[in-house]
Amino acid sequence: MSMHHTEKNYQAAASMAWQALDSHYKQMRYLHLRDLFADDPLRGQRLVANAGDIFLDYSKNIITAETMALLVGLAEACHLKQKIAAMFRGDVINVTEQRPALHVALRMPEHAELKLDGINIIPGVHAVLRRMAAFSEQVRQGVWRGYTGKRIRNVVNIGIGGSDLGPVMAFEALRHYSQRDLAFHFISNIDGTDFQEVVGRLSPDETLFVVCSKSFSTLETMTNAQSARQWLVAKMGSEAAVAKHFVAVSTHAEAVAQFGIAPHNMFEFWDWVGGRYSLASAIGLSTMIAIGPDNFYALLAGFYGMDEHFHTAPLAENLPVILGLLTIWYNNFFGAQTLAVLPYDQYLKRFPAYIQQLAMESNGKQVTVDGSVVNYQTSPIYWGEPGTNGQHSFFQLIHQGTKLVPCDFIGFCQSLNPLGNHHDLLMANFFAQSESLAFGKTAQEVKADGVLDHLVAAHVFPGNRPSNTLLVKCLTPATLGQLLALYEHSVFTQGAIWNINSFDQWGVELGKVSAQRIYNELQHADPVLAHDSSTNSLIDRYRQMK
Ligand code: G6Q
């Protein structure tokens, strides 16, 4: 069959699957979760799935078995299986940057083999891991000393975007497992406040900077790293101190050397690792220093377990596929604009921000892999806060507002900080929220509570607000790895169905270029401003007031 034919068949099959779902949606939108549950007493046992340590209950979604079959049909028509295989094989799926997306290689065991241009890349991955482990142990045990001979007490990760959100999220998530005589800090913003508020409190002779930048040319990171270098050298009185207080994580050895960090203090990764997918690479160095190599390897094993599940499980039982398809269901048929990620665990406080980048930078796209403009919705807006805090702020809108906000509830059966009845109270709220969202409270029920007639309407909860529940025994490095890979592959599933490239991010470029030009205009009063009238007068105002 010619390419042309294959492409046509693909489009025809995909469009039939979309149409079938569209007619199905036209019936489903009138159903209520109350009825779906009443009609099938076993629904809560049936619409569940398991992978590794993660249990998913997706019964509180506005779906039937037919919905899932049609969604899986859509995935098949969109060649999801083939696309998964292509990613794991190392095909050049990031077409606009002409490279594979092989973060899964970072998590493969040492004996695995994955050839890129005829060379097995797994030994290289493990060689860097071993170097990271040796270095982490030196810092943790106080063998690595600063320039004046003192042991390191502060580790400062300097990076932004994918070189920051992974490290900060993972450190917070796994703080329980961290070595407590080491403090961890993160500087990302170009705003000098970020730098001052972190560095101002530190003793330079006990501080190690980990400069994380894939390109080693990112404006924010390079500016912060230069400031850190100046601060250190000024305080220590010698350039020689840099070698003891700076290490780098990058793909760009030359730029690292130019900055003044020796090759033996650089931890390498590769251009086939995307920034937002890089936590399992050397970008995780600060995490490894915090939790130790064994825990870091357990994190990798968690990722790997979910990778294998995604790679091999049938689509209908595949956790990331199910989550991805449900997101498509609400996004493309119900017209939902957002998705709330709600971890009921304080350690996961940066988890929603991490998932936000993962999903929105990957799938916030308007063209398909072949460059044509889409005529359907792509990524929803991901957002969230840890429970129960969210309940006392935005949950009002989710319960009674006019917008549909599908929710992911993430909870753990065991607390890492058992304290009286706190955990049962936390989890009572966890279960209560998804139940109330799904089933609501009718006017009749409200009246039966004795609410005055004129107040009944305000007390009604319409219900039928869908959610997933992810329930895990305990937050550990391994279960965190599983959760992260689960979301990565859900995002992959969505991108595959929208037929977009989830691995580039051209949308961040325009503003960067423009900022460079405006920066020059802020330095001197004379350049004539040739922007639009709004930007011109804003810059003028700033120049006068600075
Ligand atoms: C992530 C993005 C982006 C990137 C940062 C930092 O996928 O590409 O967030 O991680 O711009 O880039 P560097 O690591 O090159 O400094």
Side-chain angles (χ1 to χ4, degrees):
M1 217 185 313
S2 73
M3 269 303 279
H4 189 62
H5 261 98
T6 322
E7 178 58 25
K8 263 199 159 160
N9 287 346
Y10 171 91
Q11 281 181 5
S15 121
M16 267 171 65
W18 279 113
Q19 279 166 25
L21 272 157
D22 200 44
S23 357
H24 176 67
Y25 161 71
K26 288 184 175 125
Q27 297 154 10
M28 288 300 293
R29 68 179 157 176
Y30 299 111
L31 297 187
H32 197 289
L33 281 168
R34 273 198 288 262
D35 303 317
L36 290 169
F37 272 85
D39 291 350
D40 175 6
L42 291 179
R43 184 180 170 89
Q45 278 118 280
R46 252 197 266 280
L47 296 179
V48 299
N50 235 64
D53 299 304
I54 301 194
F55 175 78
L56 165 68
D57 178 336
Y58 61 101
S59 62
K60 293 190 183 84
N61 281 289
I62 309 168
I63 55 166
T64 58
E66 191 189 349
T67 319
M68 290 317 288
L70 288 169
L71 285 167
V72 168
L74 175 67
E76 275 163 357
C78 295
H79 295 180
L80 175 59
K81 272 188 204 156
Q82 292 88 326
K83 289 175 182 175
I84 295 173
M87 171 169 70
F88 278 85
R89 226 177 14 234
D91 286 9
V92 178
I93 59 172
N94 179 354
V95 285
T96 62
E97 296 181 303
Q98 274 301 299
R99 48 175 84 135
L102 267 178
H103 42 287
V104 292
L106 302 168
R107 290 96 78 131
M108 289 183 181
E110 203 160 3
H111 57 78
E113 192 184 88
L114 207 163
K115 283 194 173 160
L116 214 54
D117 301 326
I119 297 164
N120 182 11
I121 57 172
I122 305 302
V125 166
H126 281 269
V128 174
L129 282 170
R130 278 192 294 274
R131 285 190 55 224
M132 288 165 63
F135 178 73
S136 299
E137 283 301 6
Q138 284 185 2
V139 175
R140 288 164 63 83
Q141 289 163 19
V143 177
W144 182 278
R145 299 271 163 160
Y147 183 60
T148 62
K150 285 198 168 174
R151 54 182 297 180
I152 298 299
R153 295 292 177 195
N154 306 297
V155 177
V156 183
N157 191 86
I158 299 181
I160 195 164
S163 300
D164 167 68
L165 280 161
V168 70
M169 176 279 299
F171 170 69
E172 291 297 347
L174 300 175
R175 185 190 275 269
H176 179 79
Y177 301 89
S178 71
Q179 185 168 314
R180 298 295 177 138
D181 61 1
L182 290 169
F184 290 82
H185 308 272
F186 301 86
I187 300 176
S188 55
N189 200 328
I190 191 114
D191 184 344
T193 298
D194 204 11
F195 182 89
Q196 290 295 6
E197 286 293 340
V198 168
V199 168
R201 289 178 279 144
L202 305 179
S203 313
D205 50 354
E206 298 180 340
T207 298
L208 174 74
F209 292 98
V210 180
V211 185
C212 280
S213 178
K214 181 175 169 180
S215 58
F216 230 73
S217 65
T218 304
L219 176 78
E220 290 87 343
T221 302
M222 290 304 105
T223 309
N224 279 320
Q226 288 295 354
S227 296
R229 197 180 193 285
Q230 281 161 18
W231 173 81
L232 185 96
V233 170
K235 297 262 182 192
M236 310 284 272
S238 170
E239 285 281 336
V242 171
K244 292 288 167 201
H245 295 272
F246 276 84
V247 295
V249 177
S250 188
T251 57
H252 211 307
E254 270 168 42
V256 170
Q258 234 165 35
F259 180 88
I261 297 176
H264 62 266
N265 286 340
M266 171 183 145
F267 298 86
E268 178 195 13
F269 66 115
W270 305 273
D271 73 353
W272 40 262
V273 182
R276 54 194 174 276
Y277 297 89
S278 64
L279 172 63
S281 75
I283 293 289
L285 182 61
S286 61
T287 312
M288 195 196 268
I289 298 172
I291 64 176
D294 288 350
N295 279 322
F296 195 83
Y297 279 108
L299 173 74
L300 295 181
F303 268 109
Y304 176 66
M306 188 59 76
D307 292 343
E308 281 296 282
H309 170 79
F310 182 56
H311 196 181
T312 59
L315 298 183
E317 295 155 32
N318 196 308
L319 244 65
V321 172
I322 295 171
L323 280 192
L325 290 176
L326 289 167
T327 306
I328 301 269
W329 179 231
Y330 296 115
N331 186 70
N332 293 88
F333 296 96
F334 283 77
Q337 297 277 338
T338 82
L339 189 159
V341 179
L342 307 166
Y344 275 60
D345 191 299
Q346 187 61 19
Y347 284 127
L348 293 186
K349 65 181 179 191
R350 296 294 281 157
F351 189 83
Y354 175 87
I355 299 298
Q356 186 170 64
Q357 180 193 21
L358 178 67
M360 291 169 69
E361 208 173 28
S362 295
N363 287 339
K365 308 284 164 69
Q366 56 178 347
V367 294
T368 63
V369 283
D370 43 36
S372 43
V373 177
V374 299
N375 59 0
Y376 41 81
Q377 287 289 312
T378 60
S379 183
I381 296 157
Y382 277 68
W383 60 288
E385 279 287 322
T388 58
N389 299 16
Q391 289 174 213
H392 295 266
S393 72
F394 54 77
F395 270 51
Q396 165 65 36
L397 181 149
I398 306 183
H399 281 284
Q400 287 187 318
T402 52
K403 293 186 171 53
L404 177 68
V405 183
C407 299
D408 284 355
F409 287 91
I410 304 169
F412 299 90
C413 299
Q414 297 177 357
S415 171
L416 292 169
N417 294 293
L419 176 66
N421 54 357
H422 282 244
H423 197 63
D424 281 347
L425 287 169
L426 172 71
M427 292 307 283
N429 277 279
F430 175 80
F431 297 119
Q433 288 301 322
S434 57
E435 184 183 39
S436 309
L437 285 169
F439 303 106
K441 194 166 186 183
T442 62
Q444 231 175 1
E445 289 164 338
V446 172
K447 277 184 201 151
D449 281 352
V451 172
L452 296 176
D453 273 0
H454 71 286
L455 293 177
V456 168
H459 286 249
V460 166
F461 287 71
N464 213 25
R465 314 228 153 180
S467 67
N468 292 307
T469 298
L470 293 161
L471 191 59
V472 185
K473 187 167 165 192
C474 187
L475 176 60
T476 64
T479 57
L480 179 70
Q482 293 173 31
L483 276 172
L484 295 174
L486 170 60
Y487 276 91
E488 281 180 353
H489 301 320
S490 162
V491 164
F492 181 92
T493 299
Q494 296 165 47
I497 286 171
W498 295 319
N499 202 27
I500 56 182
N501 178 1
S502 302
F503 299 103
D504 60 8
Q505 55 282 315
W506 298 104
V508 302
E509 292 305 320
L510 180 61
K512 277 193 205 170
V513 175
S514 177
Q516 196 52 52
R517 171 177 157 207
I518 294 178
Y519 173 70
N520 295 329
E521 295 167 350
L522 301 185
Q523 299 305 295
H524 314 282
D526 16 301
V528 181
L529 298 173
H531 302 270
D532 57 278
S533 59
S534 160
T535 311
N536 282 348
S537 60
L538 288 168
I539 293 175
D540 247 350
R541 203 177 172 80
Y542 174 81
R543 277 171 168 177
Q544 284 162 30
M545 289 191 174
K546 73 180 254 187

